[in-house]
Amino acid sequence: MSRKLLIGLIILGLVISLGIGGIYAYNEMGKNSLDKGLNLTDEQKEEIKGIMEDLRDKVKPVLEKIKTARDEERAVLDAETLDESKLENLINKNIGYINEIMGLREDAFVEIEKVLTPEQREKYLSSLGFLTGRYIRKREKNPAEERLRNRIRDWLLLAKKLNLTEEQKETLNELIREERVKFVKYEIRKKTGFLIKKLELTDEQKDSFIEMIKTEAENERGILKELKENAKNEKEIVSKDPLDETALRNSISTVRAKLNEVLSLRKDMYLNIVHLLTPEQRKNLPTSIFFLSPGMVR
């Protein structure tokens, strides 16, 4: 595999697993672990349970609409002649449905914040985390990652016993960095390599495809930085008692506006990828929801 293609795969993997996947990673069907580390009272647990159940019930029909749009989009992609207008309309529908879910999550988030104390709110997710679904599932253990973590831990324990020099410590740190890079490359190739292979791109198409992914990642970087900064400011809002709901809603509006900028960028990237492919290759291309919010529809 060429170095250029490998770099492209790594960037693609980061966009999908950290960027795209991170933005709308999960649906409302999982078991939430909201009370972890918050020391909720029984009364708080019951109130929040009711809020989450209500959210799940409201989101479910929206997910069904996304599935319907996905099936319609699949038919458009599989057709010999691409109906660009219909495809773009379906993508816009999906973006609308994602916004509908964000609105439902916003209301639930505000209600939960009202239930929590200022101390608990500081420990809990920001609206960015809640709107993007990070409250849903515990991260599944990765055996390969566990092995790497244990290996690094053993190295560090051994280094401590041996009383290494500064030069030796730097050599060890370099070894640890190399091991982590190897692991990341392996995981990303495993997660994204199938797409490159499935589409059967020519060398020229691969170069264009990789460039699209790189451009998208660069365009998103500034937006994600602003989102993180907003999350810090939001913590100051929720730490006060009583909760200023207006200020919190304004913060959430900023988050939603920035997330929509991300969705717009991804829509453009997806359409460019579609135009890059032949009719036969399009049949193997995932629908836009994979790029907008992989994992939302299972």
Side-chain angles (χ1 to χ4, degrees), residues 93-281:
K93 272 189 177 182
N94 278 329
I95 291 175
Y97 296 146
I98 289 171
N99 271 278
E100 195 173 340
I101 290 175
M102 282 199 289
L104 294 171
R105 286 177 174 173
E106 174 183 340
D107 291 340
F109 177 74
V110 172
E111 290 306 308
I112 289 172
E113 292 288 270
K114 291 178 182 177
V115 173
L116 301 177
T117 66
E119 292 76 17
Q120 289 170 328
R121 291 197 292 261
E122 284 190 77
K123 294 178 182 177
Y124 189 47
L125 292 171
S126 65
S127 62
L128 172 62
F130 199 90
L131 263 60
T132 56
R134 293 178 187 172
Y135 60 90
I136 299 294
R137 294 180 180 174
K138 294 180 180 178
R139 189 168 177 265
E140 293 182 3
K141 288 186 177 180
N142 183 322
E145 187 175 1
E146 286 293 310
R147 288 194 295 271
L148 173 64
R149 186 178 291 112
N150 291 336
R151 188 158 64 247
I152 291 174
R153 181 198 61 199
D154 292 342
W155 286 347
L156 292 174
L157 287 174
L158 180 61
K160 190 174 182 180
K161 290 180 181 179
L162 295 176
N163 193 25
L164 300 180
T165 64
E166 290 302 316
E167 184 178 353
Q168 289 172 323
K169 287 179 182 178
E170 183 55 37
T171 300
L172 176 61
N173 287 334
E174 183 61 32
L175 179 61
I176 290 173
R177 282 193 291 270
E178 288 178 3
E179 285 295 309
R180 284 176 172 157
V181 168
K182 286 179 186 177
F183 172 75
V184 169
K185 287 181 179 179
Y186 166 75
E187 284 295 301
I188 289 173
R189 280 201 298 266
K190 186 172 71 173
K191 291 178 180 177
T192 64
F194 82 95
L195 188 56
I196 297 287
K197 185 176 180 180
K198 189 176 182 181
L199 294 175
E200 297 182 345
L201 302 179
T202 65
D203 289 340
E204 185 177 350
Q205 285 176 317
K206 286 177 186 176
D207 289 342
S208 298
F209 181 80
I210 290 167
E211 191 59 37
M212 290 175 191
I213 299 296
K214 286 171 63 178
T215 300
E216 161 65 12
E218 290 166 2
N219 289 337
E220 278 194 28
R221 194 170 293 120
I223 298 173
L224 295 176
K225 186 176 180 181
E226 291 179 56
L227 282 168
K228 288 180 181 178
E229 188 62 33
N230 186 78
K232 291 180 183 178
N233 296 333
E234 188 175 285
K235 284 300 176 185
E236 294 183 16
I237 295 172
V238 301
S239 66
K240 297 176 182 178
D241 195 20
L243 177 66
D244 187 339
E245 183 176 342
T246 300
L248 178 57
R249 291 274 188 183
N250 288 338
S251 175
I252 297 172
S253 293
T254 298
V255 171
R256 292 183 62 177
K258 291 300 174 184
L259 290 179
N260 271 286
E261 288 182 34
V262 171
L263 288 171
S264 179
L265 288 171
R266 291 175 183 171
K267 170 191 168 182
D268 291 343
M269 177 185 70
Y270 184 74
L271 288 172
N272 286 334
I273 291 173
V274 170
H275 292 147
L276 177 70
L277 305 178
T278 65
E280 197 61 32
Q281 289 171 326

Side-chain angles (χ1 to χ4, degrees), residues 10-48:
I10 291 172
I11 293 172
L12 172 62
L14 290 173
V15 170
I16 290 177
S17 63
L18 301 180
I20 298 176
I23 294 292
Y24 305 103
Y26 306 114
N27 61 37
E28 261 60 34
M29 303 306 163
K31 180 180 179 182
N32 80 80
S33 55
L34 177 67
D35 59 339
K36 187 176 181 181
L38 296 182
N39 297 318
L40 299 176
T41 65
D42 290 340
E43 185 179 354
Q44 284 178 315
K45 288 178 182 178
E46 282 303 309
E47 285 189 70
I48 292 171

